């Protein structure tokens, strides 16, 4: 990771995931602000879980940055925040096994998130979902848009 004093701009990023059923059609959304710039990203999977969509949103946010940056990343997922700040060190030490010696769920995405976060100086923040925070609400709308598109595609595929 680059030295913090080498990074000039701070990206403010809000991420969210949405899923209908668990598993079911899901979407992820990302809202960025840095300097005078704003950007939105979203995507979907036909069959997934909410936790996978929450992780995917954070991954896509960090992987989309074109250079190392300071990042204030806001998520309404305690799973994502606790995982990256607390649990991941133990999982890596234990060969991606949890405390019960079972394989870590979503290890593929946790590895990818760990690698993406290492490229930046990330401060992880938790924000209560659906509480009126404008950035979180915007990311949620994007995640729901992705989920709805996935649900529509899944519905069309079944016909």
């Amino acid at each position: 990771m680059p030295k913090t004093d080498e990074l000039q701009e701070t990206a403010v990023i809000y991420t969210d995931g949405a899923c209908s059923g668990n598993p079911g059609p899901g979407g992820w959304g990302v809202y960025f602000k840095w300097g005078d710039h704003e950007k939105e990203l979203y995507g979907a999977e036909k069959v997934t879980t909410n936790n996978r969509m929450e992780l995917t949103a954070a991954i896509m946010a960090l992987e989309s940055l074109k250079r190392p940056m300071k990042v204030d990343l806001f998520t309404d997922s305690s799973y994502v925040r606790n995982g990256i700040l607390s649990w991941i060190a133990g999982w890596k030490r234990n060969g991606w096994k949890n405390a019960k010696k079972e394989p870590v769920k979503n290890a593929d995405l946790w590895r990818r998130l760990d690698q993406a976060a290492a490229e930046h100086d990330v401060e992880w923040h938790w924000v209560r979902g659906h509480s009126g925070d404008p950035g979180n609400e915007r990311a949620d709308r994007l995640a729901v848009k992705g989920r709805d598109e996935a649900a529509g595609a899944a519905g069309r595929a079944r016909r």
Side-chain angles (χ1 to χ4, degrees):
M1 179 176 33
K3 293 179 186 173
T4 302
D5 58 341
E6 293 175 359
L7 306 176
Q8 296 176 349
E9 290 183 274
T10 299
V12 177
I13 301 174
Y14 288 85
T15 65
D16 203 7
C19 205
S20 288
N22 210 17
W28 55 267
V30 178
Y31 168 60
F32 297 86
K33 290 189 310 186
W34 68 98
D36 295 333
H37 306 285
E38 290 183 309
K39 184 176 179 179
E40 295 180 338
L41 299 173
Y42 76 97
E45 291 185 25
K46 291 180 185 177
V47 180
T48 190
T49 65
N50 192 68
N51 282 343
R52 287 188 71 80
M53 292 294 89
E54 295 282 359
L55 284 164
T56 298
I59 291 164
M60 298 306 289
L62 294 172
E63 286 182 351
S64 71
L65 297 173
K66 295 185 179 2
R67 60 183 166 76
M69 297 185 78
K70 290 181 187 178
V71 176
D72 281 324
L73 192 145
F74 293 83
T75 177
D76 61 9
S77 171
S78 295
Y79 174 71
V80 170
R81 187 171 182 279
N82 291 338
I84 198 71
L85 291 177
S86 299
W87 307 331
I88 200 166
W91 293 337
K92 291 192 303 189
R93 233 184 357 262
N94 296 328
W96 293 94
K97 304 277 187 202
N98 64 22
K100 296 179 183 178
K101 307 291 186 223
E102 298 167 341
V104 171
K105 289 182 181 175
N106 304 312
D108 59 327
L109 296 179
W110 283 113
R111 285 184 178 106
R112 199 168 146 198
L113 181 59
D114 186 42
Q115 183 176 5
E119 299 294 318
H120 307 283
D121 179 10
V122 182
E123 187 76 28
W124 297 89
H125 304 276
W126 180 82
V127 61
R128 182 175 304 279
H130 309 287
S131 64
D133 182 288
N136 177 258
E137 296 294 334
R138 198 158 166 182
D140 178 67
R141 283 191 299 275
L142 292 164
V144 168
K145 182 177 180 178
R147 180 203 64 203
D148 291 350
E149 287 180 11
R156 286 190 300 274
R158 286 193 293 263
R159 291 183 190 154

